[in-house]
């Protein structure tokens, strides 16, 4: 892990190695040189001088962002621990209340985009606890940190320029553009590229406001799912029971069978009853590997993975949506 200090006399520890003050200062200078290149490129992309001056002045890499990038919960928790943390009973209860409180708007948005309201609420709940926790990092500074860090620099550099474009279009001010350590923004936690591609001005006020306007928040989430192939008359999947000596070659999203096909191979619902009788395909996933819980997932599950590619996340969204709906 790389660390930085604004103080020339500081001693920095990186992966157990002590860097001298001169090396630390060199790292800061290197970042400044890198940032000057970002400013030049931003100007070439049509970002205003004012946005460049305000958003890209006085920033430095944030060590805490790098720490969080290396310790994401999907990397350090078992599936059961993750599910207990992300879908607790308190969130289920709050989700049911939020669905009831916003029923008219959610039904309208759901009908407009072809996405069941319970999934919109589930994503809202898991991403920001229904708007309560949207992140306190400067989006520009966090993205600059990750773009400079090197582990996924190309991806985060692209997101940084998308964030600058959002500022340039005046959807939000630089000071108010705060979010997660990874640069995800608003109550739907869109990355800047997702905002540019899918955020909606549902209330037609001239701004795509995923920070404070529920109509835009719900519509943006639904629009994202719809654009990646959401099917409104299907669910996400269900927990399943596999027969003894189930062929491991049949596990994974790349293997698809009809429900009748899985039934014929001995797959059943978690309670041992038959699978639904319907013409649709699914795949078997084992989030904790062999010996763990099994899930039969459908196309909508793969759409959720376009939002976040973690299998843990996808199952958590589905489980919360089901629990919110009383399933």
């Amino acid at each position: 892990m790389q660390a930085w200090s604004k103080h020339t006399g500081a001693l920095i520890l990186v992966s157990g190695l002590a860097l001298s003050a001169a090396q630390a200062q060199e790292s800061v200078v290197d970042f400044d040189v890198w940032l000057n290149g970002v400013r030049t490129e931003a100007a070439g992309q049509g970002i205003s001088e004012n946005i460049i001056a305000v958003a890209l002045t006085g920033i430095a890499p944030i060590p805490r962002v790098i720490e969080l990038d290396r310790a994401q919960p999907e990397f350090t928790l078992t599936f059961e621990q993750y599910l207990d943390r992300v879908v607790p009973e308190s969130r289920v209860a709050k989700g049911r209340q939020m669905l009831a409180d916003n029923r008219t708007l959610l039904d309208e948005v759901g009908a407009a985009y072809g996405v069941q309201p319970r999934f919109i609420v589930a994503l809202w709940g898991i991403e920001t606890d229904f708007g309560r926790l949207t992140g306190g990092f400067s989006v520009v500074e966090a993205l600059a940190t990750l773009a400079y860090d090197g582990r996924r620099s190309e991806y985060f550099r692209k997101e940084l320029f998308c964030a600058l474009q959002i500022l340039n279009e005046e959807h939000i001010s630089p000071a108010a553009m705060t979010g997660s350590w990874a640069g995800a923004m608003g109550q739907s936690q869109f990355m800047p590229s997702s905002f540019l591609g899918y955020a909606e001005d549902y209330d037609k006020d001239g701004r795509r406001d995923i920070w404070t306007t529920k109509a835009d928040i719900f519509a943006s989430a639904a629009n994202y799912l719809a654009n990646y192939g959401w099917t409104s008359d299907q669910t996400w999947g269900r927990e399943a029971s596999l027969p003894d000596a189930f062929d491991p070659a049949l596990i994974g999203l790349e293997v698809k069978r009809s429900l009748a096909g899985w039934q014929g191979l001995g797959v059943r619902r978690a309670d041992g009853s038959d699978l639904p009788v319907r013409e649709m395909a699914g795949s078997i996933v084992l989030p904790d590997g062999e010996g763990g819980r099994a899930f039969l997932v459908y196309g909508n599950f793969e759409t959720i993975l376009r939002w976040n590619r973690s299998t843990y996340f996808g199952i958590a969204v589905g489980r919360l949506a089901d629990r919110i709906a009383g399933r």
Side-chain angles (χ1 to χ4, degrees):
M1 183 178 69
Q2 194 167 13
W4 300 266
S5 173
K6 295 181 180 178
H7 308 290
T8 59
L11 183 67
I12 306 177
L13 292 178
V14 183
S15 298
L17 299 177
L19 298 185
S20 68
Q23 288 173 311
Q25 179 64 13
E26 182 182 355
S27 179
V28 173
V29 171
D30 286 344
F31 177 77
D32 289 342
V33 171
W34 178 87
L35 189 61
N36 279 334
V38 171
R39 295 189 185 106
T40 299
E41 187 173 341
Q45 292 186 11
I47 305 300
S48 72
E49 291 182 6
N50 179 64
I51 292 299
I52 292 172
V54 174
L56 296 176
T57 298
I59 67 174
I62 307 171
R64 180 60 177 156
V65 166
I66 302 301
E67 292 173 8
L68 290 168
D69 183 50
R70 303 297 193 270
Q72 296 179 56
E74 291 91 335
F75 299 162
T76 59
L77 300 177
T78 67
F79 173 67
E80 297 298 337
Q81 290 170 334
Y82 179 84
L83 207 59
D84 287 345
R85 176 181 293 188
V86 175
V87 192
E89 289 298 324
S90 59
R91 182 160 289 163
V92 172
K94 190 173 181 180
R96 289 172 178 165
Q97 187 62 54
M98 289 296 181
L99 180 62
D101 291 348
N102 298 280
R103 172 61 77 176
T104 299
L105 176 59
L106 283 163
D107 283 348
E108 180 184 322
V109 169
Y113 293 91
V115 177
Q116 304 93 311
R118 71 181 187 273
F119 289 99
I120 300 172
V121 175
L123 283 164
W124 186 31
I126 288 177
E127 287 289 11
T128 62
D129 196 30
F130 312 102
R132 187 177 69 88
L133 302 170
T134 58
F137 289 96
S138 161
V139 167
V140 169
E141 200 159 7
L143 291 173
T145 297
L146 292 165
Y148 177 66
D149 173 58
R151 191 169 80 87
R152 291 183 289 168
S153 58
E154 182 177 351
Y155 169 74
F156 284 110
R157 187 181 181 92
K158 180 194 73 171
E159 295 295 339
L160 174 59
F161 283 102
C162 288
L164 294 173
Q165 183 178 337
I166 293 166
L167 294 174
N168 210 51
E169 294 176 1
E170 299 183 347
H171 294 289
I172 193 169
S173 69
M177 186 187 260
T178 57
S180 76
W181 60 266
M185 311 177 302
Q187 295 192 35
S188 50
Q189 289 289 277
F190 272 9
M191 293 300 291
S193 61
S194 294
F195 178 99
L196 292 175
Y198 307 105
E200 293 281 85
D201 176 19
Y202 192 78
D203 65 353
K204 307 302 181 187
D205 68 349
R207 295 177 61 240
R208 292 185 281 174
D209 179 14
I210 62 171
W211 294 271
T212 62
T213 302
K214 285 183 180 178
D216 291 0
I217 294 161
F218 298 160
S220 297
N223 187 47
Y224 186 100
L225 295 175
N227 271 273
Y228 280 109
W230 190 267
T231 303
S232 62
D233 65 347
Q234 293 182 12
T235 187
W236 66 279
R238 55 179 31 88
E239 188 165 2
S241 172
L242 304 183
D244 293 339
F246 186 74
D247 185 356
L250 296 174
I251 295 168
L253 294 176
E254 67 280 2
V255 180
K256 301 185 188 305
R257 296 282 190 278
S258 67
L259 295 187
W262 288 122
Q263 175 80 17
L265 290 169
V267 178
R268 299 290 185 270
R269 299 176 193 247
D271 64 4
S273 61
D274 288 345
L275 297 178
V277 178
R278 185 172 179 184
E279 289 297 323
M280 57 187 295
S283 301
I284 303 294
V285 296
L286 305 179
D288 253 349
E290 187 176 352
R293 293 164 69 178
F295 294 83
L296 174 60
V297 297
Y298 311 135
N300 284 344
F301 176 80
E302 296 191 55
T303 298
I304 296 171
L305 295 188
R306 299 301 296 264
W307 186 295
N308 183 320
R309 296 188 183 279
S310 163
T311 299
Y312 284 16
F313 177 89
I315 294 174
V317 170
R319 296 280 289 186
L320 180 57
D322 287 350
R323 295 293 309 285
I324 287 171
R327 300 182 176 187

